[in-house]
């Protein structure tokens, strides 16, 4: 299963870009050619998270406005050849060439070229132009929130906004990030109280933050923070169509509901 996936959040500070970068990495590690696009027009940061700030020559603005070929703006991640990256503009200036329609055309063309099986688009936090642009061509929205009720409500508001928009999104899924295992509310309670279908839970990780400062991702955590490593591995597998039970493979986690399986694209409850 391939697709164009947008990653968004109701507000900043929930780790949206971290989720986008690591999910892209684990899709690439599974053998899928993956392109990660930074569409945060207000403040790009994925080049820093990936440690590619010195490798970016052209960015999304060059492609959309200055007619630079998309291929020239793509940087291959040095530690994983299946992962490529296109940076957001360092400084965005409004242009009639930079529209959801033109962006969608560029993304669709590069997807149809069969160069990439997955395109992951990281958007700015909140509702606005960045989200509208990504939603124009995406078939899936991954909405990132923390376990706090206000954050979950904000995620649902984002889902409602996408429901009302003129976009191609078929599936809307929730990722609960920075979740402290054993906290209140429990993840089962979140599932019961949210209409958004959950596709994954990422534990809070101090170690991932340290790796990120060094331009490394969660693929380095298989020995130091196995649960976080496993969380991204599980989400990537679900996106690829696999049925993986919630918290599958997590260490030191007491299961509270047996047989809970999250299926991507199976339910028509989108």
């Amino acid at each position: 299963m391939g697709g164009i996936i947008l990653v968004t959040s109701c507000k900043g500070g929930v780790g949206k870009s971290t989720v986008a970068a690591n999910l892209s990495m684990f899709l690439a590690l599974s053998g899928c050619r993956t392109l990660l696009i930074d569409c945060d027009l207000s403040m790009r940061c994925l080049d820093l998270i990936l440690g590619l700030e010195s490798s970016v020559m052209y960015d999304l603005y060059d492609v959309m406005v200055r007619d630079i070929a998309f291929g020239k703006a793509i940087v291959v991640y040095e530690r994983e050849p299946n992962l490529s990256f296109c940076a957001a503009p360092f400084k965005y200036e409004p242009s009639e060439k930079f529209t959801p329609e033109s962006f969608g055309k560029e993304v669709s063309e590069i997807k149809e070229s069969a160069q990439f099986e997955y395109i992951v688009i990281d958007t700015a936090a909140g509702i606005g132009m960045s989200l509208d642009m990504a939603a124009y061509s995406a078939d899936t929205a991954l909405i990132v929130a923390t376990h706090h009720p206000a954050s979950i409500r904000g995620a649902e508001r984002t889902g409602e906004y996408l429901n009302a928009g003129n976009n191609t999104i078929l599936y809307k899924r929730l990722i609960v990030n920075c979740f402290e295992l054993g906290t209140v509310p429990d993840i089962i309670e979140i599932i019961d109280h949210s209409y958004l279908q959950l596709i994954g839970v990422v534990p809070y990780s101090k170690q991932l933050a340290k790796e990120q400062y060094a331009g490394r991702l969660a693929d380095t955590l298989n020995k130091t923070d196995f649960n976080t490593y496993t969380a991204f591995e599980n989400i990537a597998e679900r996106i690829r169509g696999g049925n993986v039970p919630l918290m599958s493979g997590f260490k030191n986690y007491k299961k509270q509901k047996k047989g809970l399986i999250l299926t991507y694209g199976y339910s028509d409850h989108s």
Side-chain angles (χ1 to χ4, degrees):
M1 180 188 296
I4 300 174
I5 303 167
L6 73 85
V7 182
T8 189
S9 65
C10 55
K11 59 180 181 179
V14 299
K16 168 188 58 61
S17 294
T18 296
V19 169
N22 285 286
L23 175 59
S24 298
M25 173 56 123
F26 278 81
L27 285 171
L29 287 172
S30 72
C32 298
R33 298 182 305 277
T34 303
L35 172 63
L36 173 61
I37 301 176
D38 191 344
C39 196
D40 188 339
L41 306 180
S42 59
M43 185 177 65
R44 78 183 193 190
C45 67
L46 278 175
D47 58 325
L48 296 173
I49 292 175
L50 296 169
L52 294 175
E53 62 270 26
S54 299
S55 302
V56 174
M57 181 173 295
Y58 299 109
D59 58 39
L60 192 57
Y61 195 85
D62 294 318
V63 173
M64 302 297 301
V65 178
R66 301 190 177 102
D67 298 322
I68 297 296
F70 213 142
K72 290 186 176 181
I74 292 174
V75 179
V76 178
Y77 191 53
E78 60 181 10
R79 292 197 300 107
E80 175 47 58
N82 278 329
L83 177 59
S84 298
F85 170 66
C86 178
F90 185 76
K91 182 179 180 181
Y92 171 73
E93 297 179 359
S95 170
E96 61 182 10
K97 291 184 177 182
F98 212 119
T99 65
E101 293 81 5
S102 59
F103 176 74
K105 180 180 178 182
E106 291 282 356
V107 171
S108 296
E109 286 179 355
I110 199 166
K111 177 67 170 61
E112 290 170 2
S113 72
Q115 186 177 356
F116 298 102
E117 295 166 78
Y118 288 97
I119 296 179
V120 179
I121 306 172
D122 183 38
T123 69
I127 292 171
M129 180 181 176
S130 175
L131 179 57
D132 290 340
M133 287 181 61
Y136 190 85
S137 58
D139 49 55
T140 298
L142 299 181
I143 304 172
V144 181
T146 66
H147 65 271
H148 298 287
S151 187
I152 298 296
R153 178 177 291 178
E156 292 182 328
R157 174 67 184 90
T158 303
E160 291 169 359
Y161 178 82
L162 292 172
N163 284 339
N166 181 22
N167 55 66
T168 59
I169 293 174
L170 298 176
Y171 307 110
K172 289 170 286 295
R173 299 292 183 262
L174 176 67
I175 293 178
V176 177
N177 191 36
C178 297
F179 185 75
E180 297 185 31
L181 300 179
T183 192
V184 176
D186 184 80
I187 199 65
I188 303 303
E189 184 179 342
I190 293 174
I191 293 172
D192 290 341
H193 287 84
S194 174
Y195 83 87
L196 288 170
Q197 186 172 330
L198 186 68
I199 196 172
V201 178
V202 180
Y204 173 74
S205 173
K206 290 183 179 180
Q207 188 62 38
L208 179 56
K210 292 180 181 179
E211 294 296 294
Q212 198 165 284
Y213 277 122
R216 295 188 293 265
L217 300 176
D219 62 300
T220 62
L221 300 179
N222 59 324
K223 294 183 179 179
T224 57
D225 190 343
F226 186 76
N227 284 353
T228 299
Y229 177 95
T230 301
F232 284 112
E233 187 176 51
N234 288 349
I235 296 171
E237 178 61 24
R238 293 177 189 124
I239 286 177
R240 294 173 60 235
N243 294 342
V244 184
L246 187 62
M247 308 299 190
S248 176
F250 279 38
K251 295 181 179 179
N252 302 319
Y253 177 73
K254 183 180 180 180
K255 295 181 180 180
Q256 297 192 26
K257 192 170 183 179
K258 295 181 179 180
L260 182 59
I261 295 178
L262 301 182
T263 307
Y264 175 85
Y266 176 79
S267 172
D268 57 6
H269 177 189
S270 60

